[in-house]
């Protein structure tokens, strides 16, 4: 006789598996935790580095502005800017030469400044390099892409542009201009001219290149997001700035993307922006040792534990796995299954009990399905029959009315339509619970033909149904009660001509049937009572509760919670009833 071990002993033997899972989970948690710390540290380091670059540029900006201020406040320069009359052109040129020499003395020892220019109050520009002939400010503005921003700020920096490079060895030089304002000492609100200091663009770029090696990509942008300098990412500038959006009001911002993270520094006083990008690959290189450490530690531990407990784990888990898989298949609706487990322990006993349970459940389900089918068909027939007495009563009233008017042909047409409606009502058993939309439309049209004799020229019925839905199945006799209620209790009390509209449309995975009218409408409390199933017997009610309850109950039998019935109405503004059923369920 084989030794029968209890399930408890086997589970205790498999403790090694729990240890392995715990080790893997703890290692993963530790890695995620430390990875987050190291990532935050890497972002902080990149931010500090970018702040240092921004501080250095800010120092240069302030230094240039300080130099410009010393030139602007010079009394002789103020007099030159504001003076517009000279005894001769030669006197004007001599004065301009003297002032340009003064500016040259101020910038002579500075390697970052290429040249300077002064825009006088008369609109003429005098430059420190080349000839001193007057130059139109419009030409300089066009060359430097200078805007009208100088009117708003004491200083601003232009975008990059190229100017003649006289006596410097090359035809042109690329510069950015610092533009400062001359203001009238007596009227500080009045701008009398401008000072333009042309700074070598390479003076800034050389510094940036020495300090941005740690970044995968770098962008130096103007206030209008114009590109002053960029370091493209390796392999081409595929990252770009097209998909990066930042808040202009924040001086510092980190924007994380799946490919890496961007850092935006907007602290510079002249509106320049510094944008750096560090790829996820580079970040991984910084913290990669964590991955290797935890990976090696976890793998070695797992291998040792698995070598010890693997034989026992397999012996225990195989029957449990079979039983679990069988239970999942039964939970999914598959009852054609039988387990064969010969483990000589409690699991074998459980497998035998499981097989017996599945057999009993299969027999019970088959019997329950047959009973439910019979019950639902019986209940549906009973519910459907509730419509007929009221409808027959209305038709007979119409026949009596036509007989009094001696309209025999109309009586014949009415009776023919009535017979067709009755034929449809008694064919529930043979046709099933669902009918095509076109058949339901035909029955409703017969019903409307009957009512036209009673309420001649009092209403009009319109249809809105797509051609591909005409053969789509819907619950039998679902539209006619709604049209009947709309006519008798919404349109008929109306003084003018009523319009009843029926729409059948697909809305995603649902089919929506809408019946609306322009009748007298209903109060909200009456709608709530109708939807709750309360019996309403008051004369003048908008809808008969028997009709709404009948439709609601049939939808519940056919689709359960997958259906819905909604009523929206307002007194004097008509009523709209919407029936929603699953589209695929209706098709099946």
């Amino acid at each position: 006789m084989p030794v029968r071990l209890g399930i408890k002993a086997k589970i205790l033997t498999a403790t090694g598996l729990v240890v392995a899972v715990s080790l893997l989970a703890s290692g993963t948690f530790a890695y995620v935790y430390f990875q987050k710390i190291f990532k935050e540290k890497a972002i902080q380091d990149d931010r500090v580095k970018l702040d240092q670059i921004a501080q250095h540029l800010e120092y240069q900006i302030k230094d240039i502005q300080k130099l410009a201020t010393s030139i602007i406040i010079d009394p002789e320069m103020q007099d030159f800017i504001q003076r517009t009359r000279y005894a001769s052109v030669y006197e004007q040129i001599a004065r301009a030469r003297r002032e340009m020499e003064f500016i040259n003395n101020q910038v002579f020892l500075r390697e970052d400044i290429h040249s300077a220019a002064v825009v006088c109050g008369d609109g003429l520009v005098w430059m420190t390099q080349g000839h001193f002939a007057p130059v139109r400010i419009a030409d300089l503005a066009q060359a430097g892409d200078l805007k009208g921003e100088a009117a708003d700020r004491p200083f601003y920096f232009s975008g990059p542009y190229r100017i003649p490079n006289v006596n410097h060895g090359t035809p042109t030089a690329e510069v950015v201009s610092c533009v400062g304002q001359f203001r009238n000492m007596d009227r500080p609100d009045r701008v009398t001219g401008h000072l333009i200091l042309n700074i070598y663009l390479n003076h800034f770029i050389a510094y940036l290149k020495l300090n941005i090696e740690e970044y995968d990509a770098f962008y130096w942008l103007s206030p209008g997001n114009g590109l002053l300098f960029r370091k493209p990412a390796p392999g081409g500038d595929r990252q770009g700035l097209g998909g990066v959006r930042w808040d202009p009001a924040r001086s510092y911002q980190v924007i994380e993307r799946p490919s890496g993270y961007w850092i935006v520094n907007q602290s510079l006083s002249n509106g320049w922006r510094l944008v750096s990008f560090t790829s996820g690959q580079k970040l991984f290189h910084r913290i990669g040792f964590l991955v290797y450490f935890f990976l090696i530690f976890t793998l070695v531990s797992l291998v040792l534990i698995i070598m010890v407990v693997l034989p026992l784990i397999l012996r225990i888990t195989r029957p449990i796995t079979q039983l679990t898989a069988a239970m999942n298949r039964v939970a999914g609706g598959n009852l054609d299954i039988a387990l064969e487990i010969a483990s000589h322990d409690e699991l074998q006993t459980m497998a035998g009990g499981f097989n017996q349970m599945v057999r009993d459940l299969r027999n019970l389900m088959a019997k329950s399905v047959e009973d439910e089918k019979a019950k639902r068909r019986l209940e549906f027939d009973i519910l459907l029959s509730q419509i007929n007495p009221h409808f027959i009563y209305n038709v007979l009233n119409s026949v009596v009315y036509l007989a009094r008017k001696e309209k025999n042909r109309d009586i014949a047409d009415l009776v023919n339509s009535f017979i067709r409606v009755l034929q449809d009502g008694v064919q529930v058993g043979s046709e099933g619970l669902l009918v095509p939309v076109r058949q339901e439309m035909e029955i409703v049209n017969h019903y409307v033909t009957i009512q036209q004799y009673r309420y001649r020229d009092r209403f009009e019925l319109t249809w809105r149904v797509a051609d591909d839905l005409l053969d789509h199945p819907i619950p039998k006799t679902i539209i006619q009660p709604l049209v009947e209620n709309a006519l008798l209790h919404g349109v008929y009390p109306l003084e003018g001509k009523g319009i009843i509209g029926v729409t059948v449309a697909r809305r995603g995975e649902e089919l929506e049937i809408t019946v609306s009218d322009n009748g007298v409408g209903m109060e909200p409390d009456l709608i709530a009572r109708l939807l709750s199933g309360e019996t309403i017997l008051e004369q003048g009610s908008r809808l008969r509760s028997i009709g709404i309850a009948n439709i609601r109950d049939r939808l519940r039998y056919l689709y359960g919670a997958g259906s819905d019935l909604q009523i929206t109405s307002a007194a004097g503004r008509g009523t709209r009833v919407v029936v929603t059923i699953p589209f695929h369920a209706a098709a099946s």
Side-chain angles (χ1 to χ4, degrees):
M1 290 291 293
V3 179
R4 299 186 60 174
L5 297 177
I7 188 66
K8 182 177 180 180
K10 293 182 179 180
I11 292 177
L12 290 176
T13 309
T15 304
L17 180 61
V18 177
V19 174
V21 173
S22 301
L23 183 63
L24 182 61
S26 61
T28 302
F29 173 78
Y31 168 73
V32 172
Y33 175 76
F34 285 107
Q35 183 212 34
K36 181 180 179 181
I37 293 178
F38 278 90
K39 180 179 180 181
E40 292 176 352
K41 180 65 168 58
I43 293 176
Q44 181 64 23
D45 291 343
D46 286 350
R47 177 188 175 182
V48 171
K49 181 65 176 179
L50 198 63
D51 287 343
Q52 291 174 348
I53 296 174
Q55 290 172 6
H56 181 82
L57 292 180
E58 183 67 21
Y59 172 79
Q60 292 182 304
I61 292 169
K62 295 299 183 184
D63 183 55
I64 294 170
Q65 291 178 348
K66 182 178 179 181
L67 173 63
T69 301
S70 67
I71 296 174
I72 289 174
I73 63 176
D74 181 76
E76 291 292 329
M77 185 62 66
Q78 286 282 338
D79 178 71
F80 172 68
I81 290 297
Q82 297 180 29
R83 185 175 178 181
T84 58
R85 297 181 178 274
Y86 292 90
S88 66
V89 174
Y90 299 104
E91 180 186 0
Q92 183 181 19
I93 294 177
R95 177 64 185 274
R97 184 186 298 274
R98 187 167 64 252
E99 300 303 331
M100 294 303 103
E101 289 178 354
F102 165 74
I103 296 176
N104 268 330
N105 291 335
Q106 299 294 318
V107 303
F108 177 72
L109 296 179
R110 297 185 64 108
E111 297 181 353
D112 56 336
I113 297 180
H114 173 274
S115 59
V118 173
V119 183
C120 298
D122 56 4
L124 297 180
V125 178
W126 301 92
M127 305 184 68
T128 59
Q129 284 199 15
H131 58 82
F132 295 109
V135 179
R136 293 294 178 185
I137 185 62
D139 299 334
L140 184 60
Q142 182 177 5
D145 192 23
L146 305 180
K147 311 297 181 184
E149 300 153 3
D152 301 325
R153 290 183 286 171
F155 293 97
Y156 85 100
F157 283 75
S158 75
Y161 65 101
R162 306 194 74 85
I163 60 175
N165 196 27
V166 181
N167 300 325
H168 284 76
T170 57
T172 60
E174 191 170 15
V175 300
V176 293
S177 295
C178 174
V179 183
Q181 298 177 339
F182 287 97
R183 292 185 179 268
N184 192 305
M185 293 299 183
D186 297 326
R187 295 178 58 188
D189 60 328
R190 179 184 176 189
V191 179
T192 58
H194 297 91
L195 171 66
I196 303 175
L197 297 180
N198 300 318
I199 304 113
Y200 285 106
L201 184 64
N202 278 335
H203 173 74
F204 298 102
I205 294 177
Y207 169 77
L208 292 176
K209 286 182 176 180
L210 291 176
N211 292 274
I212 62 175
E213 293 297 327
E214 297 180 3
Y215 303 121
D216 288 298
F218 183 87
Y219 296 84
W220 173 27
L221 306 176
S222 68
N225 291 331
L227 184 63
L228 299 174
F229 169 75
R230 73 174 178 179
K231 173 192 174 182
D237 194 14
R238 293 173 293 179
Q239 299 295 334
L241 286 170
V244 182
R245 297 290 183 270
W246 56 80
D247 185 359
R250 297 173 59 183
S251 61
Y252 163 79
Q253 193 170 356
V254 176
I255 305 171
E256 295 194 37
R257 293 286 187 270
S259 58
Y261 60 87
W262 299 84
I263 301 179
V264 183
N265 188 305
Q266 303 180 102
S267 63
L268 294 171
S269 59
N270 66 345
W272 284 348
R273 294 184 177 90
L274 303 179
V275 182
S276 68
F277 172 74
T278 302
S279 66
Q281 183 179 6
K282 190 164 190 175
L283 179 62
F284 179 80
H285 288 325
R286 295 184 184 180
I287 62 176
F289 71 94
L290 279 176
V291 178
Y292 300 126
F293 173 78
F294 285 111
L295 183 61
I296 294 174
F297 176 77
T298 302
L299 288 178
V300 171
S301 301
L302 285 176
V303 168
L304 293 176
I305 295 174
I306 290 174
M307 290 176 62
V308 174
V309 301
L310 181 59
L312 294 175
I313 291 175
L314 292 177
R315 183 176 180 85
I316 296 171
T317 58
R318 186 177 294 110
I320 296 177
T321 302
Q322 294 176 358
L323 181 59
T324 303
M327 293 176 65
N328 289 334
R329 292 170 62 183
V330 171
N334 183 7
L335 300 180
D336 296 327
I337 185 171
L339 282 177
E340 295 182 3
I341 296 179
S343 57
H344 306 290
D345 55 21
E346 290 89 342
L347 288 176
Q348 183 174 347
T349 304
M350 290 177 60
F354 176 80
N355 290 335
Q356 183 61 44
M357 180 193 69
V358 170
R359 287 192 294 270
D360 295 342
L361 184 59
R362 186 163 53 240
N363 296 333
L364 181 61
M365 287 292 294
K367 185 176 183 302
S368 177
V369 169
E370 293 300 324
D371 292 345
E372 185 65 20
K373 287 181 179 179
K375 179 182 175 182
R376 288 201 173 191
R377 185 170 296 278
L378 178 60
E379 291 176 338
F380 184 85
D381 291 342
I382 294 174
L383 288 171
L384 194 59
S385 66
Q386 293 177 357
I387 302 174
N388 294 332
H390 179 73
F391 176 64
I392 294 172
Y393 174 79
N394 287 338
V395 172
L396 293 178
N397 276 343
S398 298
V399 172
V400 172
Y401 172 79
L402 293 175
R404 289 175 180 173
K405 296 293 185 177
E406 298 183 354
K407 295 184 177 183
N408 297 332
R409 181 176 297 276
D410 291 341
I411 292 175
D413 294 339
L414 187 149
V415 171
N416 285 334
S417 295
F418 178 55
I419 292 172
R420 182 64 186 88
V421 172
L422 289 182
Q423 287 176 339
D424 180 77
V426 298
Q427 290 176 353
V428 176
S430 61
E431 294 186 355
L433 307 181
L434 304 176
V435 296
V437 173
R438 67 169 73 248
Q439 181 174 329
E440 188 72 4
M441 291 174 61
E442 178 184 356
I443 298 304
V444 173
N445 287 331
H446 280 299
Y447 169 78
V448 170
T449 299
I450 294 171
Q451 297 296 357
Q452 287 286 4
Y453 285 104
R454 186 176 183 186
Y455 306 109
R456 189 177 299 276
D457 299 327
R458 290 293 303 278
F459 72 95
E460 178 184 349
L461 176 68
T462 62
W463 291 91
R464 293 184 61 186
V465 183
D467 291 341
D468 59 343
L469 295 178
L470 289 176
D471 294 316
H472 196 83
I474 60 174
K476 186 179 180 67
T477 319
I478 199 72
I479 300 177
Q480 184 271 333
L482 298 178
V483 173
E484 178 182 359
N485 284 311
L487 171 63
L488 299 181
H489 304 288
V491 172
Y492 178 65
L494 194 67
E495 292 184 2
K497 183 176 181 178
I499 297 177
I500 302 173
V502 181
T503 302
V504 180
R506 180 178 181 179
R507 302 284 186 261
E509 296 302 320
E510 294 180 336
L511 188 70
E512 191 175 274
I513 302 171
T514 304
V515 177
S516 59
D517 64 69
N518 63 342
V520 296
M522 289 189 296
E523 297 296 339
D525 61 334
L526 181 57
I527 297 177
R529 292 164 64 192
L530 288 170
L531 290 175
S532 66
E534 181 180 347
T535 302
I536 308 297
L537 299 176
E538 306 170 18
Q539 185 175 2
S541 296
R542 164 65 181 85
L543 292 176
R544 295 181 299 114
S545 61
I546 185 64
I548 294 299
N550 180 280
I551 294 173
R552 182 199 59 212
D553 291 342
R554 280 194 285 149
L555 292 176
R556 185 181 303 161
Y557 285 137
L558 290 172
Y559 307 108
S563 63
D564 189 27
L565 188 148
Q566 296 289 335
I567 302 176
T568 55
S569 180
R573 298 176 61 183
T575 300
R576 185 170 182 264
V577 181
V578 179
V579 175
T580 304
I581 60 177
F583 183 82
H584 292 299
S588 62

